[in-house]
Amino acid sequence: MASSTKRIPTQHIIGYVLSIVLTLVAAWVALKSNLPTLWIIVGILLLAVIQAGIQLIMFMHMVEFESNNGHIPWNMMFHGFVAAAIVVAGSLFTMVYGF
Amino acid sequence: MSTQEAKHTPLEYQTTHGQMNILGFWIFLAAEVVLFSTLFATYAVLFGRTADSPLPSELFGAEIVLIMTFLLLTSSFTCGIAIHNMRQGQVKPLIIWMVITLLLGLGFLGFEIYEFMHYTHEGATLQSSAFWSSFYVLAGTHGLHVTLGIGWATLLIIQIVKRGLTPVTSQKVFIISLYWHFLDVIWIFIFTAVYLIGMVV
């Protein structure tokens, strides 16, 4: 694959800069902006998901040719995160909202 | 697959054994995602149940959490650089970048221990309320993973020094890089869902 023979790890640098920026944006939104609390929570959780995606794709070589173009890692992570979302949302639904 | 691509197949993918180990590690990571999801769910459900102990918004400090986040983000980046060097067959840069990664990881752990001690002095311990129990278990499980990762990577660096880059050792280093990046993924969610939301609400 072309990226593994490059001298400068462009993809890693882009991923690193993006994650720093996203972290700072999330911190700013949470601590300095005057948005309503619900908007802040939804917004920063969305930023976290984007940043996790950057880690997986830019750093963890998820979509490279050797891992069947990421077929298996993608499956694993997708189903892992779906199960995680069900556990967290389901627990909140039953325990907090009283069903 | 053309012959051009076959020549550039990284060492860790050259044997079926290596491919299977990497596949198995992705399955492990999916299980880890679910493990942490149970801890996040416990934390979310117990949020606000602080009894007589301090509130999270009184204790969480933006500076220390941002420092910890940048330490871990940078260590994830240097770990990626180490793998980049490994794929070019350069052993020495690989070892140097892995050592930097571990030092950053140790820095992260130091700040986390300092942070936990600070909270304990302020009256928020594992026993003081349901909220703080779930907080310490969630953040502590992540810290334990970082500790294990540091020990694991140290052993691998010794192995690389002794045996050099072979399909077996490079597959092991690739797997620990996946583990290390994964810890960063979990930390992003702890940073957001625990610290930022704890400071907002």
Side-chain angles (χ1 to χ4, degrees), chain A residues 5-7 9 12 16 20 23 30-31 44 48 55 59-61 64-66 72-73 76-77 80 84 88 91 95, chain B residues 1 8 10 13 23 26 29-30 33 37 41 45 62 70 73-74 76-77 80-81 84 87-88 178 181 184 192 200:
Chain A
T5 50
K6 259 192 268 175
R7 275 210 66 78
H12 289 99
Y16 181 55
I20 295 268
T23 305
L31 304 173
I44 58 181
Q55 286 280 328
F59 287 165
M60 290 169 84
H61 310 265
E64 69 190 355
F65 177 80
E66 288 78 13
I72 291 160
M76 289 302 143
M77 285 298 107
V88 174
S91 303
M95 300 300 288
Chain B
M1 182 153 76
H8 288 299
Y13 282 109
L23 165 70
W26 278 103
L29 288 183
V33 169
S37 81
V45 165
F70 286 137
L73 274 181
T74 312
S76 187
F77 172 64
I81 302 289
H84 179 79
R87 292 203 161 169
Q88 294 181 326
L178 290 182
H181 295 312
D184 203 40
T192 309
V200 170

Side-chain angles (χ1 to χ4, degrees), chain B residues 35-93:
Chain B
L35 162 78
F36 274 99
S37 81
T38 62
L39 299 176
F40 274 106
T42 312
Y43 177 86
V45 165
L46 295 174
F47 189 82
R49 310 294 164 102
T50 43
D52 295 330
S53 52
L55 295 172
S57 52
E58 292 168 7
L59 290 189
F60 290 166
E63 298 87 8
I64 187 167
V65 177
L66 276 174
I67 292 173
M68 284 163 75
T69 305
F70 286 137
L71 280 175
L72 213 59
L73 274 181
T74 312
S75 83
S76 187
F77 172 64
T78 57
C79 183
I81 302 289
I83 296 303
H84 179 79
N85 281 311
M86 181 178 89
R87 292 203 161 169
Q88 294 181 326
Q90 301 165 313
V91 178
K92 214 172 170 190

Side-chain angles (χ1 to χ4, degrees), chain B residues 74-127:
Chain B
T74 312
S75 83
S76 187
F77 172 64
T78 57
C79 183
I81 302 289
I83 296 303
H84 179 79
N85 281 311
M86 181 178 89
R87 292 203 161 169
Q88 294 181 326
Q90 301 165 313
V91 178
K92 214 172 170 190
L94 162 67
I95 293 170
I96 292 169
W97 285 109
M98 278 313 278
V99 170
I100 295 173
T101 306
L102 292 189
L103 290 178
L104 289 165
L106 278 175
F108 170 85
L109 267 187
F111 273 104
E112 185 155 58
I113 292 167
Y114 165 80
E115 184 207 5
F116 281 7
M117 279 166 62
H118 170 68
Y119 294 169
T120 307
H121 284 301
E122 299 288 329
T125 65
L126 190 62
Q127 294 98 326

Side-chain angles (χ1 to χ4, degrees), chain B residues 136-149:
Chain B
Y136 281 116
V137 172
L138 173 54
T141 306
H142 178 266
L144 180 69
H145 276 79
V146 175
T147 316
L148 282 174

